[in-house]
Amino acid sequence: MTSSESPRPSRADTPRYLPIAEHGLIGDMRTSALVGTNGTVDWYCCTRFDAPSVFAAILDADRGGSFELAPDVPARTKQFYFPDTNILITRFFAEHGVGEVQDFMPIVDDSREADRHRLIRRVLCVRGALPFTARVAPRFDYGRQTHAVRRRQGHTVFESPDLSLGLTSSVPVEIDGPDAWSSFKLHEGESAVFALDRIGDGVEPRACPVREAEEQFSATVRYWRGWLSQSRYRGRWREMVHRSALTLKLLTYAPTGAIVAAPTTSLPEQIGGERNWDYRYVWVRDAAFCIYALLRLGFTDEAKTFVHFLSGVICRNCGSVDVSVAGSGAGGGAEAGPGPGRGSPLQIMYRIDGRSELPESELPHLEGHLGSAPVRIGNNAVNQLQLDIYGALIDSLYLYDKWGEPLSSNEWDTIVDLVDWVCDNWDQPDEGIWETRGSTQKFLYSRLMCWVAIERAMRIAGHRGLPADMLRWGRARDTIYRRIMERGWSAERKAFVQHEGDDVLDAAVLMMPLAKFISPTDPKWLSTLDALGTDLVSDSLVYRYDPSRSPDGLRGEEGTFSICSFWYVEALSRAGRVDEARLAFEKMLTYANHLGLYAEEIGRTGEQIGNFPQAFTHLALISAAFNLDRALG
């Protein structure tokens, strides 16, 4: 993988914000951190993905908090992952020496040690000699809680009302107000170690000498390489596919098997704009893509664990909702119970432990990345009706039943309830896949995925001989099909369109052949593919839709959506336009950051924007690579 190289200016000249793409991700499958190419940890939530931040300089350079560690002289930097692992290495090239910082979180099976949430920063001088400076400046609870700093048995302890962290180091550390810092010099072959632990509740501060850091480094290398060796993928672009797989594993919450959409909140979709959302939760929509990618690559244990998480969530929620009651049509607010309005038995997203509460609020004391306010935590989209989630969920269970393990009788009973609800409610207007905060519409994609929900359930029932009202389900499935073909098709545009009553295009319809609703070589679909290529595609990059023609209730513009770009690749491939697909895919690879990571969107000049890295994008990359490689033969 190509590494990032950039000059490291003097501290006084350092820009307040690194670009989003100038970061790598590390983690322990409970939480994660972003490390910039300048050696600064400027995003870290302890003790889980959706916990309040400790370091959030990426959202506010002054009030967010950070952990700096870099040479105290000008230096060029390069950053890469230790091969086949999630250990991040940042190298510094200065006039009188070369050094590197190895950042990782040990993977620990013992539950008590897992609660330590250790972040290790191992710094080495590999040539010459270099002076280094470290500054640890936590700002607890998104910078809302004050903390005390004190020395305790050779450790530096940061204590806030809700969380305490212990810093150990192999070099002397001084206290400076609310921060701690260290200045030291290393000669060739010498190293220093910093370890930041969550302490309290039976977890005591523990030293991390150089030898222990080396042992934990080696153990972490063995873990990641052992996990990746399970991959069955042997096709083209294997390095990018495996980096995507490693990223998905980092975004997995080990205690439940849930996979977060992204490890960050409020990274802007437009610099200076308001499209800033919290993605540290589990979207039901991602389920089918997760299961498909994991099973295709051979990670059956991860797929099984995620299915069990989903099953637990849907059984818990459907058990307290009368799924036989049809919704009341277009509406707005949430009703009592676990789901959103209009009687939906499921929410579109959940917390990583399966809880349903995600109240959205703003943090006005944080300025946002490059001044992109507001900074939000929580997500009010949880109260929306998005009918497509039922197709995504049931498709994921269908895939697991086919390639993993047979579904249980309880899981089948729940599927029956959900499909019965879909049969009664598929024609409601909803907010759709893109979670618009404008008016509800009768979106084609929502009806497409309702068709998928019923069709996949019928496949399971037919294959397994399970009890189902096949006549009723078949009638609903066929009605949805005819409705899409009649009202979702625009004779004027010669394309399938975003929603009934208009002729605006939407990249979500790229899922029509991928979901096996329409043949990838059907004349109507080929005409749609051409229309999308003309209106929404720019140098392989695909816009979701045109906000000026399809108002979404928000101000400003947005970039191209990387998941849509990979959908476009797969649609071209399935349509037999393999050369076009391959060129579009190769172009998309040039838009990855130096580590092979993608944010949600790509800006006008090729910059990564939106929450980073995004699971959905990496899932789509895996699917596109798998299917394109197969088409190429």
Side-chain angles (χ1 to χ4, degrees):
M1 183 66 58
T2 302
S3 59
S4 170
E5 181 171 354
S6 58
R8 177 177 170 79
S10 64
R11 295 289 171 105
D13 296 331
T14 301
R16 295 180 69 241
Y17 292 96
L18 279 180
I20 292 170
E22 291 293 309
H23 291 86
L25 184 72
I26 61 171
D28 61 2
M29 295 185 299
R30 286 168 173 80
T31 187
S32 62
L34 291 181
V35 185
T37 52
N38 60 358
T40 297
V41 179
D42 57 13
W43 178 254
Y44 176 47
C45 296
C46 188
T47 57
R48 40 188 269 172
F49 292 106
D50 56 355
S53 66
V54 172
F55 303 134
I58 198 168
L59 295 178
D60 193 307
D62 300 321
R63 293 177 287 271
S66 64
F67 187 161
E68 300 176 8
L69 178 55
D72 206 15
V73 294
R76 294 177 296 110
T77 67
K78 289 185 177 182
Q79 196 175 60
F80 67 100
Y81 279 112
F82 197 78
D84 295 334
T85 77
N86 280 315
I87 295 174
L88 187 66
I89 299 179
T90 307
R91 307 200 83 197
F92 300 92
F93 301 84
E95 182 179 359
H96 298 294
V98 178
E100 66 182 39
V101 176
Q102 301 170 347
D103 285 304
F104 65 100
M105 295 184 192
I107 307 296
V108 180
D109 292 329
D110 176 74
S111 60
R112 186 166 178 271
E113 278 303 295
D115 289 339
R116 184 174 295 278
H117 299 287
R118 169 162 278 193
L119 168 60
I120 293 179
R121 312 203 69 190
R122 186 177 175 222
V123 56
L124 301 88
C125 181
V126 296
R127 297 184 69 184
L130 281 176
F132 287 87
T133 297
R135 176 169 289 273
V136 185
R139 299 296 182 263
F140 293 91
D141 189 24
Y142 308 105
R144 295 182 295 189
Q145 288 187 1
T146 59
H147 66 274
V149 188
R150 62 187 180 86
R151 299 288 296 174
R152 191 171 93 190
Q153 298 177 346
H155 308 286
T156 304
V157 177
F158 304 90
E159 295 178 327
S160 76
D162 297 330
L163 179 67
S164 293
L165 299 176
L167 174 69
T168 61
S169 172
S170 62
V171 294
V173 171
E174 303 292 334
I175 293 174
D176 180 17
D179 306 337
W181 68 279
S182 177
S183 182
F184 56 98
K185 188 171 186 178
L186 296 178
H187 294 84
E188 187 169 326
E190 295 180 336
S191 63
V193 172
F194 296 85
L196 190 64
D197 296 338
R198 174 260 180 191
I199 58 175
D201 297 328
V203 179
E204 294 298 323
R206 194 180 73 205
C208 186
V210 172
R211 173 164 294 189
E212 181 178 342
E214 291 177 355
E215 292 172 352
Q216 294 196 324
F217 179 93
S218 298
T220 305
V221 168
R222 287 194 299 273
Y223 173 83
W224 287 118
R225 289 182 171 173
W227 179 80
L228 191 60
S229 68
Q230 302 172 66
S231 171
R232 294 198 300 258
Y233 187 77
R234 298 294 182 268
R236 301 168 178 85
W237 312 290
R238 186 162 65 165
E239 186 176 1
M240 288 297 292
V241 169
H242 280 173
R243 177 49 53 195
S244 291
L246 284 163
T247 302
L248 292 176
K249 185 65 171 175
L250 268 185
L251 298 180
T252 302
Y253 183 60
T256 64
I259 299 176
V260 297
T264 56
T265 181
S266 298
L267 293 183
E269 297 175 16
Q270 179 189 23
I271 301 300
E274 66 172 339
R275 298 169 183 265
N276 316 317
W277 315 109
D278 193 349
Y279 276 15
R280 298 172 297 161
Y281 309 112
V282 185
W283 263 254
V284 173
R285 177 177 301 117
D286 297 6
F289 298 95
C290 286
I291 300 303
Y292 179 86
L294 292 169
L295 290 175
R296 279 300 191 194
L297 297 182
F299 298 112
T300 54
D301 287 344
E302 284 71 20
K304 179 178 180 179
T305 305
F306 192 28
V307 164
H308 287 170
F309 169 80
L310 292 170
S311 298
V313 167
I314 63 177
C315 289
R316 239 185 352 263
N317 285 276
C318 292
S320 58
V321 176
D322 183 1
V323 298
S324 65
V325 177
S328 56
E335 299 174 0
R342 285 96 87 198
S344 176
L346 290 180
Q347 295 181 174
I348 69 168
M349 70 182 89
Y350 294 88
R351 287 190 178 275
I352 53 178
D353 56 9
R355 288 184 296 144
S356 56
E357 301 82 11
L358 288 87
E360 182 178 301
S361 61
E362 297 181 1
L363 303 178
H365 66 286
L366 298 180
E367 71 172 9
H369 181 75
L370 288 170
S372 305
V375 172
R376 295 183 174 97
I377 54 174
N379 200 313
N380 278 346
V382 71
N383 295 319
Q384 293 184 353
L385 176 66
Q386 296 178 23
L387 293 168
D388 63 279
I389 65 172
Y390 294 94
L393 175 64
I394 295 175
D395 194 25
S396 73
L397 298 176
Y398 159 76
L399 292 170
Y400 187 71
D401 184 78
K402 178 180 179 181
W403 292 333
E405 295 181 349
L407 298 173
S408 70
S409 56
N410 285 340
E411 288 166 338
W412 177 247
D413 289 343
T414 301
I415 289 174
V416 169
D417 286 341
L418 293 177
V419 174
D420 285 342
W421 187 89
V422 170
C423 289
D424 288 333
N425 289 273
W426 65 266
D427 199 27
Q428 290 195 62
D430 67 351
E431 282 83 359
I433 179 177
W434 306 129
E435 300 173 2
T436 60
R437 299 203 175 192
S439 60
T440 57
Q441 299 287 349
K442 294 192 174 184
F443 289 102
L444 183 152
Y445 183 79
S446 298
R447 275 132 196 79
L448 167 68
M449 298 307 289
C450 286
W451 178 90
V452 168
I454 300 170
E455 197 273 341
R456 300 302 193 267
M458 292 179 70
R459 286 197 194 193
I460 299 171
H463 174 67
R464 297 270 306 278
L466 296 170
D469 192 344
M470 298 289 270
L471 289 177
R472 180 184 182 225
W473 289 6
R475 284 194 298 269
R477 177 199 61 188
D478 296 347
T479 300
I480 297 171
Y481 177 89
R482 295 189 185 98
R483 178 72 165 267
I484 291 175
M485 299 303 287
E486 293 168 4
R487 301 192 194 180
W489 171 259
S490 169
E492 181 179 348
R493 297 300 301 271
K494 293 183 173 55
F496 290 102
V497 294
Q498 183 182 66
H499 57 79
E500 296 179 10
D502 207 336
D503 62 358
V504 66
L505 298 182
D506 189 327
V509 304
L510 287 164
M511 280 297 297
M512 293 178 75
L514 276 59
K516 303 187 185 304
F517 176 87
I518 193 170
S519 165
T521 57
D522 186 290
K524 283 188 173 182
W525 173 249
L526 294 178
S527 177
T528 300
L529 194 56
D530 287 338
L532 292 171
T534 300
D535 280 28
L536 297 182
V537 179
S538 173
D539 188 44
S540 84
L541 302 175
V542 181
Y543 291 93
R544 296 187 298 178
Y545 50 82
D546 181 353
S548 66
R549 297 198 61 199
S550 180
D552 54 15
L554 297 165
R555 296 186 299 273
E557 299 179 349
E558 62 182 17
T560 58
F561 260 59
S562 293
I563 183 174
C564 298
S565 301
F566 286 119
W567 286 350
Y568 183 62
V569 168
E570 191 164 345
L572 288 171
S573 174
R574 290 174 184 260
R577 295 159 60 173
V578 179
D579 288 341
E580 291 179 62
R582 183 169 191 173
L583 180 59
F585 187 78
E586 295 285 1
K587 285 183 176 181
M588 270 302 297
L589 297 186
T590 71
Y591 286 103
N593 86 337
H594 58 286
L595 299 168
L597 304 180
Y598 289 89
E600 183 175 31
E601 302 181 26
I602 305 295
R604 288 190 178 275
T605 58
E607 71 275 16
Q608 302 271 352
I609 51 178
N611 284 307
F612 173 86
Q614 194 203 32
F616 219 173
T617 301
H618 287 278
L619 291 165
L621 183 154
I622 292 171
S623 181
F626 183 91
N627 286 283
L628 179 56
D629 180 72
R630 184 168 56 183
L632 288 167

